[in-house]
Amino acid sequence: SQKLESLIEFPVTSLDMTPFLTRNVESTKKNENKHTGSTAVNSDSVENECMYDLFAVVNHIGKIDRGHYTTLVRWRDQWFFCDDEKVSHHHIDSKSISSQQAYLLLYVARSYLPHQPHQSTQSILVLQ
């Protein structure tokens, strides 16, 4: 086996999963609206439920059977780079990131958050 090291680009904000909705999800939304007297799907509601924002990236540096993991994590509107016991501020000013080392991308649904990520989102960061 060989580790894939393709350069990938992924969004920091506004990962839109709407194109991957099934008709069943849309029909469920229509049925919910029938109970409230509305016959139309609230497109803003569906869109907001399907929008995701990145809050962490786990990176793997090394070969498939050995290596080192680091994490880039968002706390409110700031990004931090975590490497073992070292944590440092990391500046991200673009709408997307390109990486060959990204192993795991962690997104959170905007509908789950009390307010939008670009307006001072709170996430949980535990440092031990």
Side-chain angles (χ1 to χ4, degrees), residues 45-59:
S45 173
V46 171
E47 181 178 312
N48 198 37
E49 288 178 13
C50 299
M51 284 297 213
Y52 290 79
D53 295 301
L54 188 68
F55 75 90
V57 180
V58 177
N59 299 295

Side-chain angles (χ1 to χ4, degrees), residues 9 12-13 19 23 35 37-38 41 46-47 52-54 57-58 78 89-91 94 97 100 105 109 112-113 117:
E9 186 173 342
V12 173
T13 61
R23 289 183 164 238
H35 296 299
S38 172
V41 174
V46 171
E47 181 178 312
Y52 290 79
D53 295 301
L54 188 68
V57 180
V58 177
Q78 297 182 32
H89 187 262
H90 190 80
H91 183 70
S94 63
I97 299 174
Q100 290 179 294
L105 306 175
Y112 180 75
L113 299 172

Side-chain angles (χ1 to χ4, degrees), residues 15 20 27 45 66 71 78 82 93-94 101 122:
L15 174 62
F20 305 102
S27 110
S45 173
R66 62 188 179 279
T71 303
Q78 297 182 32
C82 305
D93 60 357
S94 63
Q101 299 171 337
Q122 292 189 6

Side-chain angles (χ1 to χ4, degrees), residues 3-127:
K3 179 181 171 185
L4 298 177
E5 295 193 33
S6 304
L7 182 65
I8 60 166
E9 186 173 342
F10 46 93
V12 173
T13 61
S14 304
L15 174 62
D16 185 5
M17 298 302 287
T18 306
F20 305 102
L21 287 178
T22 64
R23 289 183 164 238
N24 186 31
V25 171
E26 291 179 16
S27 110
T28 301
K29 293 289 179 193
K30 287 180 185 175
N31 289 336
E32 288 173 359
N33 287 336
K34 284 181 185 176
H35 296 299
T36 62
S38 172
T39 57
V41 174
N42 182 343
S43 61
D44 290 339
S45 173
V46 171
E47 181 178 312
N48 198 37
E49 288 178 13
C50 299
M51 284 297 213
Y52 290 79
D53 295 301
L54 188 68
F55 75 90
V57 180
V58 177
N59 299 295
H60 179 262
I61 303 154
K63 302 293 181 190
I64 195 167
D65 58 345
R66 62 188 179 279
H68 182 70
Y69 291 93
T70 61
T71 303
L72 189 59
V73 66
R74 184 182 73 213
W75 169 248
R76 301 191 183 196
D77 288 333
Q78 297 182 32
W79 286 90
F80 294 90
F81 181 73
C82 305
D83 184 359
D84 293 335
E85 73 278 355
K86 296 176 230 91
V87 177
S88 58
H89 187 262
H90 190 80
H91 183 70
I92 294 180
D93 60 357
S94 63
K95 293 184 179 188
S96 65
I97 299 174
S98 297
S99 175
Q100 290 179 294
Q101 299 171 337
Y103 176 73
L104 183 63
L105 306 175
L106 300 162
Y107 284 86
V108 63
R110 284 187 182 171
S111 61
Y112 180 75
L113 299 172
H115 34 67
Q116 300 300 322
H118 55 277
Q119 297 176 346
S120 181
T121 299
Q122 292 189 6
S123 346
I124 297 173
L125 172 63
V126 179
L127 299 176

